[in-house]
mmCIF file with all atom_site columns, all heavy atoms in Angstrom:
data_model
loop_
_atom_site.group_PDB
_atom_site.id
_atom_site.type_symbol
_atom_site.label_atom_id
_atom_site.label_alt_id
_atom_site.label_comp_id
_atom_site.label_asym_id
_atom_site.label_entity_id
_atom_site.label_seq_id
_atom_site.pdbx_PDB_ins_code
_atom_site.Cartn_x
_atom_site.Cartn_y
_atom_site.Cartn_z
_atom_site.occupancy
_atom_site.B_iso_or_equiv
_atom_site.pdbx_formal_charge
_atom_site.auth_seq_id
_atom_site.auth_comp_id
_atom_site.auth_asym_id
_atom_site.auth_atom_id
_atom_site.pdbx_PDB_model_num
ATOM 1   N N   . ALA A 1 1  ? -6.827 20.041 2.852  1.00 0.00 ? 114 ALA A N   1
ATOM 2   C CA  . ALA A 1 1  ? -5.399 20.331 3.203  1.00 0.00 ? 114 ALA A CA  1
ATOM 3   C C   . ALA A 1 1  ? -5.258 20.904 4.620  1.00 0.00 ? 114 ALA A C   1
ATOM 4   O O   . ALA A 1 1  ? -6.104 21.896 4.915  1.00 0.00 ? 114 ALA A O   1
ATOM 5   C CB  . ALA A 1 1  ? -4.825 21.243 2.030  1.00 0.00 ? 114 ALA A CB  1
ATOM 6   N N   . PHE A 1 2  ? -4.276 20.590 5.327  1.00 0.00 ? 115 PHE A N   1
ATOM 7   C CA  . PHE A 1 2  ? -4.046 21.250 6.560  1.00 0.00 ? 115 PHE A CA  1
ATOM 8   C C   . PHE A 1 2  ? -2.774 22.101 6.701  1.00 0.00 ? 115 PHE A C   1
ATOM 9   O O   . PHE A 1 2  ? -2.303 22.504 7.622  1.00 0.00 ? 115 PHE A O   1
ATOM 10  C CB  . PHE A 1 2  ? -3.912 20.190 7.571  1.00 0.00 ? 115 PHE A CB  1
ATOM 11  C CG  . PHE A 1 2  ? -5.188 19.405 7.901  1.00 0.00 ? 115 PHE A CG  1
ATOM 12  C CD1 . PHE A 1 2  ? -5.447 18.203 7.356  1.00 0.00 ? 115 PHE A CD1 1
ATOM 13  C CD2 . PHE A 1 2  ? -6.281 19.980 8.557  1.00 0.00 ? 115 PHE A CD2 1
ATOM 14  C CE1 . PHE A 1 2  ? -6.626 17.467 7.572  1.00 0.00 ? 115 PHE A CE1 1
ATOM 15  C CE2 . PHE A 1 2  ? -7.495 19.295 8.760  1.00 0.00 ? 115 PHE A CE2 1
ATOM 16  C CZ  . PHE A 1 2  ? -7.622 18.040 8.231  1.00 0.00 ? 115 PHE A CZ  1
ATOM 17  N N   . ASN A 1 3  ? -2.195 22.208 5.447  1.00 0.00 ? 116 ASN A N   1
ATOM 18  C CA  . ASN A 1 3  ? -1.029 22.970 5.160  1.00 0.00 ? 116 ASN A CA  1
ATOM 19  C C   . ASN A 1 3  ? 0.204  22.481 6.015  1.00 0.00 ? 116 ASN A C   1
ATOM 20  O O   . ASN A 1 3  ? 1.196  23.223 6.314  1.00 0.00 ? 116 ASN A O   1
ATOM 21  C CB  . ASN A 1 3  ? -1.202 24.508 5.516  1.00 0.00 ? 116 ASN A CB  1
ATOM 22  C CG  . ASN A 1 3  ? -2.300 25.080 4.644  1.00 0.00 ? 116 ASN A CG  1
ATOM 23  O OD1 . ASN A 1 3  ? -2.253 24.863 3.480  1.00 0.00 ? 116 ASN A OD1 1
ATOM 24  N ND2 . ASN A 1 3  ? -3.216 25.851 5.230  1.00 0.00 ? 116 ASN A ND2 1
ATOM 25  N N   . ALA A 1 4  ? 0.191  21.139 6.361  1.00 0.00 ? 117 ALA A N   1
ATOM 26  C CA  . ALA A 1 4  ? 1.470  20.654 6.892  1.00 0.00 ? 117 ALA A CA  1
ATOM 27  C C   . ALA A 1 4  ? 2.237  20.008 5.848  1.00 0.00 ? 117 ALA A C   1
ATOM 28  O O   . ALA A 1 4  ? 1.780  19.348 4.738  1.00 0.00 ? 117 ALA A O   1
ATOM 29  C CB  . ALA A 1 4  ? 1.056  19.505 7.859  1.00 0.00 ? 117 ALA A CB  1
ATOM 30  N N   . THR A 1 5  ? 3.520  20.286 5.810  1.00 0.00 ? 118 THR A N   1
ATOM 31  C CA  . THR A 1 5  ? 4.469  19.741 4.771  1.00 0.00 ? 118 THR A CA  1
ATOM 32  C C   . THR A 1 5  ? 5.041  18.414 5.227  1.00 0.00 ? 118 THR A C   1
ATOM 33  O O   . THR A 1 5  ? 5.006  18.130 6.329  1.00 0.00 ? 118 THR A O   1
ATOM 34  C CB  . THR A 1 5  ? 5.552  20.776 4.475  1.00 0.00 ? 118 THR A CB  1
ATOM 35  O OG1 . THR A 1 5  ? 6.321  20.872 5.634  1.00 0.00 ? 118 THR A OG1 1
ATOM 36  C CG2 . THR A 1 5  ? 4.950  22.130 4.016  1.00 0.00 ? 118 THR A CG2 1
ATOM 37  N N   . ALA A 1 6  ? 5.694  17.791 4.210  1.00 0.00 ? 119 ALA A N   1
ATOM 38  C CA  . ALA A 1 6  ? 6.505  16.602 4.660  1.00 0.00 ? 119 ALA A CA  1
ATOM 39  C C   . ALA A 1 6  ? 7.687  16.843 5.633  1.00 0.00 ? 119 ALA A C   1
ATOM 40  O O   . ALA A 1 6  ? 7.890  16.073 6.516  1.00 0.00 ? 119 ALA A O   1
ATOM 41  C CB  . ALA A 1 6  ? 7.078  15.957 3.321  1.00 0.00 ? 119 ALA A CB  1
ATOM 42  N N   . LEU A 1 7  ? 8.198  18.106 5.504  1.00 0.00 ? 120 LEU A N   1
ATOM 43  C CA  . LEU A 1 7  ? 9.191  18.412 6.541  1.00 0.00 ? 120 LEU A CA  1
ATOM 44  C C   . LEU A 1 7  ? 8.561  18.544 7.997  1.00 0.00 ? 120 LEU A C   1
ATOM 45  O O   . LEU A 1 7  ? 9.117  18.136 8.899  1.00 0.00 ? 120 LEU A O   1
ATOM 46  C CB  . LEU A 1 7  ? 9.884  19.725 6.079  1.00 0.00 ? 120 LEU A CB  1
ATOM 47  C CG  . LEU A 1 7  ? 11.088 20.152 7.034  1.00 0.00 ? 120 LEU A CG  1
ATOM 48  C CD1 . LEU A 1 7  ? 12.137 19.120 7.138  1.00 0.00 ? 120 LEU A CD1 1
ATOM 49  C CD2 . LEU A 1 7  ? 11.488 21.451 6.593  1.00 0.00 ? 120 LEU A CD2 1
ATOM 50  N N   . ASP A 1 8  ? 7.279  19.174 7.976  1.00 0.00 ? 121 ASP A N   1
ATOM 51  C CA  . ASP A 1 8  ? 6.648  19.217 9.217  1.00 0.00 ? 121 ASP A CA  1
ATOM 52  C C   . ASP A 1 8  ? 6.437  17.855 9.886  1.00 0.00 ? 121 ASP A C   1
ATOM 53  O O   . ASP A 1 8  ? 6.645  17.657 11.075 1.00 0.00 ? 121 ASP A O   1
ATOM 54  C CB  . ASP A 1 8  ? 5.298  19.861 9.112  1.00 0.00 ? 121 ASP A CB  1
ATOM 55  C CG  . ASP A 1 8  ? 5.382  21.389 8.793  1.00 0.00 ? 121 ASP A CG  1
ATOM 56  O OD1 . ASP A 1 8  ? 6.316  22.081 9.186  1.00 0.00 ? 121 ASP A OD1 1
ATOM 57  O OD2 . ASP A 1 8  ? 4.459  21.782 7.998  1.00 0.00 ? 121 ASP A OD2 1
ATOM 58  N N   . LEU A 1 9  ? 6.042  16.871 9.100  1.00 0.00 ? 122 LEU A N   1
ATOM 59  C CA  . LEU A 1 9  ? 5.877  15.525 9.572  1.00 0.00 ? 122 LEU A CA  1
ATOM 60  C C   . LEU A 1 9  ? 7.275  14.877 9.946  1.00 0.00 ? 122 LEU A C   1
ATOM 61  O O   . LEU A 1 9  ? 7.251  14.278 10.955 1.00 0.00 ? 122 LEU A O   1
ATOM 62  C CB  . LEU A 1 9  ? 5.258  14.673 8.447  1.00 0.00 ? 122 LEU A CB  1
ATOM 63  C CG  . LEU A 1 9  ? 5.055  13.148 8.712  1.00 0.00 ? 122 LEU A CG  1
ATOM 64  C CD1 . LEU A 1 9  ? 4.234  12.999 9.913  1.00 0.00 ? 122 LEU A CD1 1
ATOM 65  C CD2 . LEU A 1 9  ? 4.560  12.351 7.573  1.00 0.00 ? 122 LEU A CD2 1
ATOM 66  N N   . ALA A 1 10 ? 8.236  15.207 9.230  1.00 0.00 ? 123 ALA A N   1
ATOM 67  C CA  . ALA A 1 10 ? 9.551  14.588 9.499  1.00 0.00 ? 123 ALA A CA  1
ATOM 68  C C   . ALA A 1 10 ? 9.987  14.994 10.996 1.00 0.00 ? 123 ALA A C   1
ATOM 69  O O   . ALA A 1 10 ? 10.426 14.169 11.752 1.00 0.00 ? 123 ALA A O   1
ATOM 70  C CB  . ALA A 1 10 ? 10.658 15.039 8.573  1.00 0.00 ? 123 ALA A CB  1
ATOM 71  N N   . TYR A 1 11 ? 9.803  16.367 11.303 1.00 0.00 ? 124 TYR A N   1
ATOM 72  C CA  . TYR A 1 11 ? 10.157 16.802 12.579 1.00 0.00 ? 124 TYR A CA  1
ATOM 73  C C   . TYR A 1 11 ? 9.189  16.318 13.621 1.00 0.00 ? 124 TYR A C   1
ATOM 74  O O   . TYR A 1 11 ? 9.479  16.231 14.707 1.00 0.00 ? 124 TYR A O   1
ATOM 75  C CB  . TYR A 1 11 ? 10.270 18.347 12.561 1.00 0.00 ? 124 TYR A CB  1
ATOM 76  C CG  . TYR A 1 11 ? 11.509 18.893 12.098 1.00 0.00 ? 124 TYR A CG  1
ATOM 77  C CD1 . TYR A 1 11 ? 11.662 19.571 10.992 1.00 0.00 ? 124 TYR A CD1 1
ATOM 78  C CD2 . TYR A 1 11 ? 12.651 18.771 12.994 1.00 0.00 ? 124 TYR A CD2 1
ATOM 79  C CE1 . TYR A 1 11 ? 13.014 20.021 10.578 1.00 0.00 ? 124 TYR A CE1 1
ATOM 80  C CE2 . TYR A 1 11 ? 13.959 19.254 12.550 1.00 0.00 ? 124 TYR A CE2 1
ATOM 81  C CZ  . TYR A 1 11 ? 14.031 19.877 11.358 1.00 0.00 ? 124 TYR A CZ  1
ATOM 82  O OH  . TYR A 1 11 ? 15.390 20.251 11.017 1.00 0.00 ? 124 TYR A OH  1
ATOM 83  N N   . GLN A 1 12 ? 7.945  16.163 13.347 1.00 0.00 ? 125 GLN A N   1
ATOM 84  C CA  . GLN A 1 12 ? 6.939  15.578 14.285 1.00 0.00 ? 125 GLN A CA  1
ATOM 85  C C   . GLN A 1 12 ? 7.352  14.178 14.712 1.00 0.00 ? 125 GLN A C   1
ATOM 86  O O   . GLN A 1 12 ? 7.132  13.755 15.803 1.00 0.00 ? 125 GLN A O   1
ATOM 87  C CB  . GLN A 1 12 ? 5.628  15.541 13.616 1.00 0.00 ? 125 GLN A CB  1
ATOM 88  C CG  . GLN A 1 12 ? 4.479  15.158 14.558 1.00 0.00 ? 125 GLN A CG  1
ATOM 89  C CD  . GLN A 1 12 ? 4.228  16.099 15.583 1.00 0.00 ? 125 GLN A CD  1
ATOM 90  O OE1 . GLN A 1 12 ? 4.404  17.234 15.418 1.00 0.00 ? 125 GLN A OE1 1
ATOM 91  N NE2 . GLN A 1 12 ? 3.669  15.619 16.773 1.00 0.00 ? 125 GLN A NE2 1
ATOM 92  N N   . ILE A 1 13 ? 7.925  13.446 13.643 1.00 0.00 ? 126 ILE A N   1
ATOM 93  C CA  . ILE A 1 13 ? 8.408  12.038 14.082 1.00 0.00 ? 126 ILE A CA  1
ATOM 94  C C   . ILE A 1 13 ? 9.635  12.188 14.959 1.00 0.00 ? 126 ILE A C   1
ATOM 95  O O   . ILE A 1 13 ? 9.581  11.437 16.135 1.00 0.00 ? 126 ILE A O   1
ATOM 96  C CB  . ILE A 1 13 ? 8.732  11.219 12.799 1.00 0.00 ? 126 ILE A CB  1
ATOM 97  C CG1 . ILE A 1 13 ? 7.428  11.097 11.863 1.00 0.00 ? 126 ILE A CG1 1
ATOM 98  C CG2 . ILE A 1 13 ? 9.414  9.983  13.098 1.00 0.00 ? 126 ILE A CG2 1
ATOM 99  C CD1 . ILE A 1 13 ? 7.730  10.595 10.490 1.00 0.00 ? 126 ILE A CD1 1
ATOM 100 N N   . HIS A 1 14 ? 10.570 12.872 14.690 1.00 0.00 ? 127 HIS A N   1
ATOM 101 C CA  . HIS A 1 14 ? 11.772 12.995 15.444 1.00 0.00 ? 127 HIS A CA  1
ATOM 102 C C   . HIS A 1 14 ? 12.695 14.084 14.833 1.00 0.00 ? 127 HIS A C   1
ATOM 103 O O   . HIS A 1 14 ? 12.833 14.110 13.575 1.00 0.00 ? 127 HIS A O   1
ATOM 104 C CB  . HIS A 1 14 ? 12.620 11.512 15.458 1.00 0.00 ? 127 HIS A CB  1
ATOM 105 C CG  . HIS A 1 14 ? 13.607 11.556 16.494 1.00 0.00 ? 127 HIS A CG  1
ATOM 106 N ND1 . HIS A 1 14 ? 14.798 12.208 16.359 1.00 0.00 ? 127 HIS A ND1 1
ATOM 107 C CD2 . HIS A 1 14 ? 13.625 10.993 17.624 1.00 0.00 ? 127 HIS A CD2 1
ATOM 108 C CE1 . HIS A 1 14 ? 15.604 11.947 17.436 1.00 0.00 ? 127 HIS A CE1 1
ATOM 109 N NE2 . HIS A 1 14 ? 14.813 11.161 18.282 1.00 0.00 ? 127 HIS A NE2 1
ATOM 110 N N   . THR A 1 15 ? 13.322 14.868 15.745 1.00 0.00 ? 128 THR A N   1
ATOM 111 C CA  . THR A 1 15 ? 14.183 15.902 15.338 1.00 0.00 ? 128 THR A CA  1
ATOM 112 C C   . THR A 1 15 ? 15.306 15.400 14.332 1.00 0.00 ? 128 THR A C   1
ATOM 113 O O   . THR A 1 15 ? 15.534 16.160 13.440 1.00 0.00 ? 128 THR A O   1
ATOM 114 C CB  . THR A 1 15 ? 14.786 16.691 16.545 1.00 0.00 ? 128 THR A CB  1
ATOM 115 O OG1 . THR A 1 15 ? 13.756 17.010 17.395 1.00 0.00 ? 128 THR A OG1 1
ATOM 116 C CG2 . THR A 1 15 ? 15.744 17.848 16.112 1.00 0.00 ? 128 THR A CG2 1
ATOM 117 N N   . ASN A 1 16 ? 15.851 14.434 14.614 1.00 0.00 ? 129 ASN A N   1
ATOM 118 C CA  . ASN A 1 16 ? 16.992 13.839 13.770 1.00 0.00 ? 129 ASN A CA  1
ATOM 119 C C   . ASN A 1 16 ? 16.474 13.531 12.459 1.00 0.00 ? 129 ASN A C   1
ATOM 120 O O   . ASN A 1 16 ? 17.246 13.797 11.450 1.00 0.00 ? 129 ASN A O   1
ATOM 121 C CB  . ASN A 1 16 ? 17.518 12.580 14.500 1.00 0.00 ? 129 ASN A CB  1
ATOM 122 C CG  . ASN A 1 16 ? 18.883 12.276 13.902 1.00 0.00 ? 129 ASN A CG  1
ATOM 123 O OD1 . ASN A 1 16 ? 19.673 13.152 13.533 1.00 0.00 ? 129 ASN A OD1 1
ATOM 124 N ND2 . ASN A 1 16 ? 19.217 11.006 13.672 1.00 0.00 ? 129 ASN A ND2 1
ATOM 125 N N   . ILE A 1 17 ? 15.216 12.989 12.225 1.00 0.00 ? 130 ILE A N   1
ATOM 126 C CA  . ILE A 1 17 ? 14.712 12.754 10.879 1.00 0.00 ? 130 ILE A CA  1
ATOM 127 C C   . ILE A 1 17 ? 14.480 14.123 10.221 1.00 0.00 ? 130 ILE A C   1
ATOM 128 O O   . ILE A 1 17 ? 14.830 14.232 9.042  1.00 0.00 ? 130 ILE A O   1
ATOM 129 C CB  . ILE A 1 17 ? 13.301 12.054 10.991 1.00 0.00 ? 130 ILE A CB  1
ATOM 130 C CG1 . ILE A 1 17 ? 13.810 10.563 11.599 1.00 0.00 ? 130 ILE A CG1 1
ATOM 131 C CG2 . ILE A 1 17 ? 12.751 11.917 9.685  1.00 0.00 ? 130 ILE A CG2 1
ATOM 132 C CD1 . ILE A 1 17 ? 12.580 9.738  11.842 1.00 0.00 ? 130 ILE A CD1 1
ATOM 133 N N   . GLY A 1 18 ? 13.907 14.982 10.858 1.00 0.00 ? 131 GLY A N   1
ATOM 134 C CA  . GLY A 1 18 ? 13.666 16.392 10.243 1.00 0.00 ? 131 GLY A CA  1
ATOM 135 C C   . GLY A 1 18 ? 15.033 17.102 9.757  1.00 0.00 ? 131 GLY A C   1
ATOM 136 O O   . GLY A 1 18 ? 15.164 17.718 8.741  1.00 0.00 ? 131 GLY A O   1
ATOM 137 N N   . ASP A 1 19 ? 16.019 16.895 10.646 1.00 0.00 ? 132 ASP A N   1
ATOM 138 C CA  . ASP A 1 19 ? 17.330 17.489 10.398 1.00 0.00 ? 132 ASP A CA  1
ATOM 139 C C   . ASP A 1 19 ? 17.994 16.843 9.106  1.00 0.00 ? 132 ASP A C   1
ATOM 140 O O   . ASP A 1 19 ? 18.776 17.600 8.454  1.00 0.00 ? 132 ASP A O   1
ATOM 141 C CB  . ASP A 1 19 ? 18.259 17.343 11.557 1.00 0.00 ? 132 ASP A CB  1
ATOM 142 C CG  . ASP A 1 19 ? 17.956 18.186 12.702 1.00 0.00 ? 132 ASP A CG  1
ATOM 143 O OD1 . ASP A 1 19 ? 17.154 19.088 12.559 1.00 0.00 ? 132 ASP A OD1 1
ATOM 144 O OD2 . ASP A 1 19 ? 18.647 17.921 13.791 1.00 0.00 ? 132 ASP A OD2 1
ATOM 145 N N   . HIS A 1 20 ? 17.644 15.710 8.711  1.00 0.00 ? 133 HIS A N   1
ATOM 146 C CA  . HIS A 1 20 ? 18.259 15.114 7.648  1.00 0.00 ? 133 HIS A CA  1
ATOM 147 C C   . HIS A 1 20 ? 17.308 14.775 6.438  1.00 0.00 ? 133 HIS A C   1
ATOM 148 O O   . HIS A 1 20 ? 17.598 14.011 5.538  1.00 0.00 ? 133 HIS A O   1
ATOM 149 C CB  . HIS A 1 20 ? 19.008 13.697 8.087  1.00 0.00 ? 133 HIS A CB  1
ATOM 150 C CG  . HIS A 1 20 ? 20.060 13.997 9.131  1.00 0.00 ? 133 HIS A CG  1
ATOM 151 N ND1 . HIS A 1 20 ? 21.305 14.418 8.737  1.00 0.00 ? 133 HIS A ND1 1
ATOM 152 C CD2 . HIS A 1 20 ? 20.026 13.907 10.523 1.00 0.00 ? 133 HIS A CD2 1
ATOM 153 C CE1 . HIS A 1 20 ? 22.046 14.670 9.884  1.00 0.00 ? 133 HIS A CE1 1
ATOM 154 N NE2 . HIS A 1 20 ? 21.267 14.220 10.897 1.00 0.00 ? 133 HIS A NE2 1
ATOM 155 N N   . ALA A 1 21 ? 16.113 15.245 6.508  1.00 0.00 ? 134 ALA A N   1
ATOM 156 C CA  . ALA A 1 21 ? 15.225 14.980 5.491  1.00 0.00 ? 134 ALA A CA  1
ATOM 157 C C   . ALA A 1 21 ? 15.454 15.678 4.227  1.00 0.00 ? 134 ALA A C   1
ATOM 158 O O   . ALA A 1 21 ? 15.879 16.771 4.125  1.00 0.00 ? 134 ALA A O   1
ATOM 159 C CB  . ALA A 1 21 ? 13.774 15.439 6.037  1.00 0.00 ? 134 ALA A CB  1
ATOM 160 N N   . VAL A 1 22 ? 15.359 14.874 3.153  1.00 0.00 ? 135 VAL A N   1
ATOM 161 C CA  . VAL A 1 22 ? 15.670 15.503 1.656  1.00 0.00 ? 135 VAL A CA  1
ATOM 162 C C   . VAL A 1 22 ? 14.344 15.400 0.824  1.00 0.00 ? 135 VAL A C   1
ATOM 163 O O   . VAL A 1 22 ? 14.511 16.052 -0.279 1.00 0.00 ? 135 VAL A O   1
ATOM 164 C CB  . VAL A 1 22 ? 16.781 14.780 1.116  1.00 0.00 ? 135 VAL A CB  1
ATOM 165 C CG1 . VAL A 1 22 ? 18.147 14.993 1.885  1.00 0.00 ? 135 VAL A CG1 1
ATOM 166 C CG2 . VAL A 1 22 ? 16.518 13.262 0.950  1.00 0.00 ? 135 VAL A CG2 1
ATOM 167 N N   . GLY A 1 23 ? 13.362 14.711 1.229  1.00 0.00 ? 136 GLY A N   1
ATOM 168 C CA  . GLY A 1 23 ? 12.115 14.512 0.355  1.00 0.00 ? 136 GLY A CA  1
ATOM 169 C C   . GLY A 1 23 ? 11.344 13.561 1.079  1.00 0.00 ? 136 GLY A C   1
ATOM 170 O O   . GLY A 1 23 ? 11.498 13.129 2.176  1.00 0.00 ? 136 GLY A O   1
ATOM 171 N N   . ALA A 1 24 ? 10.377 13.067 0.220  1.00 0.00 ? 137 ALA A N   1
ATOM 172 C CA  . ALA A 1 24 ? 9.328  12.190 0.706  1.00 0.00 ? 137 ALA A CA  1
ATOM 173 C C   . ALA A 1 24 ? 8.821  11.288 -0.402 1.00 0.00 ? 137 ALA A C   1
ATOM 174 O O   . ALA A 1 24 ? 8.898  11.732 -1.548 1.00 0.00 ? 137 ALA A O   1
ATOM 175 C CB  . ALA A 1 24 ? 8.164  12.731 1.422  1.00 0.00 ? 137 ALA A CB  1
ATOM 176 N N   . ARG A 1 25 ? 8.395  10.167 -0.067 1.00 0.00 ? 138 ARG A N   1
ATOM 177 C CA  . ARG A 1 25 ? 7.652  9.220  -1.001 1.00 0.00 ? 138 ARG A CA  1
ATOM 178 C C   . ARG A 1 25 ? 6.390  9.031  -0.634 1.00 0.00 ? 138 ARG A C   1
ATOM 179 O O   . ARG A 1 25 ? 6.113  8.750  0.595  1.00 0.00 ? 138 ARG A O   1
ATOM 180 C CB  . ARG A 1 25 ? 8.378  7.892  -1.192 1.00 0.00 ? 138 ARG A CB  1
ATOM 181 C CG  . ARG A 1 25 ? 7.832  7.020  -2.166 1.00 0.00 ? 138 ARG A CG  1
ATOM 182 C CD  . ARG A 1 25 ? 8.749  5.801  -2.433 1.00 0.00 ? 138 ARG A CD  1
ATOM 183 N NE  . ARG A 1 25 ? 10.136 6.026  -2.793 1.00 0.00 ? 138 ARG A NE  1
ATOM 184 C CZ  . ARG A 1 25 ? 11.268 5.686  -2.172 1.00 0.00 ? 138 ARG A CZ  1
ATOM 185 N NH1 . ARG A 1 25 ? 11.142 4.986  -1.084 1.00 0.00 ? 138 ARG A NH1 1
ATOM 186 N NH2 . ARG A 1 25 ? 12.370 6.026  -2.692 1.00 0.00 ? 138 ARG A NH2 1
ATOM 187 N N   . ILE A 1 26 ? 5.312  9.453  -1.434 1.00 0.00 ? 139 ILE A N   1
ATOM 188 C CA  . ILE A 1 26 ? 3.985  9.460  -0.959 1.00 0.00 ? 139 ILE A CA  1
ATOM 189 C C   . ILE A 1 26 ? 3.115  8.366  -1.786 1.00 0.00 ? 139 ILE A C   1
ATOM 190 O O   . ILE A 1 26 ? 3.551  8.206  -2.997 1.00 0.00 ? 139 ILE A O   1
ATOM 191 C CB  . ILE A 1 26 ? 3.170  10.739 -0.980 1.00 0.00 ? 139 ILE A CB  1
ATOM 192 C CG1 . ILE A 1 26 ? 3.050  11.318 -2.284 1.00 0.00 ? 139 ILE A CG1 1
ATOM 193 C CG2 . ILE A 1 26 ? 3.883  11.742 -0.031 1.00 0.00 ? 139 ILE A CG2 1
ATOM 194 C CD1 . ILE A 1 26 ? 2.013  12.289 -2.533 1.00 0.00 ? 139 ILE A CD1 1
#
C-alpha cells in the first residue's frame, strides 16, 4: 500500500474529476 486513495487518484487525473468524484469502481 502507498496510502493513496481513490480521491487522490481522481485529483491526479484532473482537478475537475476530483471535484466531482463520488466513489470508484475497482
Side-chain angles (χ1 to χ4, degrees):
F115 294 102
N116 297 321
T118 65
L120 184 59
D121 293 328
L122 176 62
Y124 275 110
Q125 184 71 26
I126 295 167
H127 194 281
T128 303
N129 196 40
I130 294 173
D132 284 350
H133 298 283
V135 294
R138 187 173 295 124
I139 63 159

